[in-house]
Amino acid sequence: MILEIVSPEATLLNTEVELISVPGVNGEFQMLNNHAPIVSLLVEGLVKFKGSNVKVKEQYANKFNSIKGEFSLPIKSGTIEMKDNKVIILAD
């Protein structure tokens, strides 16, 4: 699935991933390929994702943490939409 992370500054990421975990208002939840469509608010926490071909833009690489192929991005709040195997996160 495609993950796109957009901040007020720029589009931080647009890449293929296998798993996404986000801090929802009712707790953390995960999405895999072909997840049902969803729209949700996000709270402060970490957006985590894994993928074999993740490509982080060089100018924004310092915003992401990476440990053993799992990437994370701290956010203060945001929204997430998943539809047609594409996830868009609008993050603060």
Side-chain angles (χ1 to χ4, degrees), residues 3-46:
L3 171 61
E4 183 174 356
I5 300 178
V6 180
S7 77
E9 304 150 356
T11 299
L12 303 178
L13 183 76
N14 191 343
T15 190
E16 182 80 25
V17 298
E18 297 164 4
L19 174 133
I20 303 164
S21 177
V22 294
V25 291
N26 293 320
E28 187 173 326
F29 63 95
Q30 293 184 345
M31 290 163 286
L32 298 169
N33 281 329
N34 301 311
H35 191 282
I38 186 171
V39 174
S40 180
L41 294 174
L42 302 177
V43 296
E44 187 170 358
L46 292 175

Side-chain angles (χ1 to χ4, degrees), residues 8-9 13 19-21 24 37 42-44 47 52 54-55 58 64 71 73 75 81 83 88 90:
E9 304 150 356
L13 183 76
L19 174 133
I20 303 164
S21 177
L42 302 177
V43 296
E44 187 170 358
V47 172
S52 55
V54 172
K55 294 180 178 113
E58 191 173 320
F64 295 88
F71 295 83
L73 173 70
I75 64 168
E81 177 188 24
K83 184 179 175 187
I88 300 173
L90 305 175

Side-chain angles (χ1 to χ4, degrees), residues 59-76:
Q59 66 265 38
Y60 304 118
N62 63 332
K63 296 184 180 290
F64 295 88
N65 299 314
S66 175
I67 300 173
K68 296 181 182 177
E70 181 176 294
F71 295 83
S72 64
L73 173 70
I75 64 168
K76 293 181 183 173

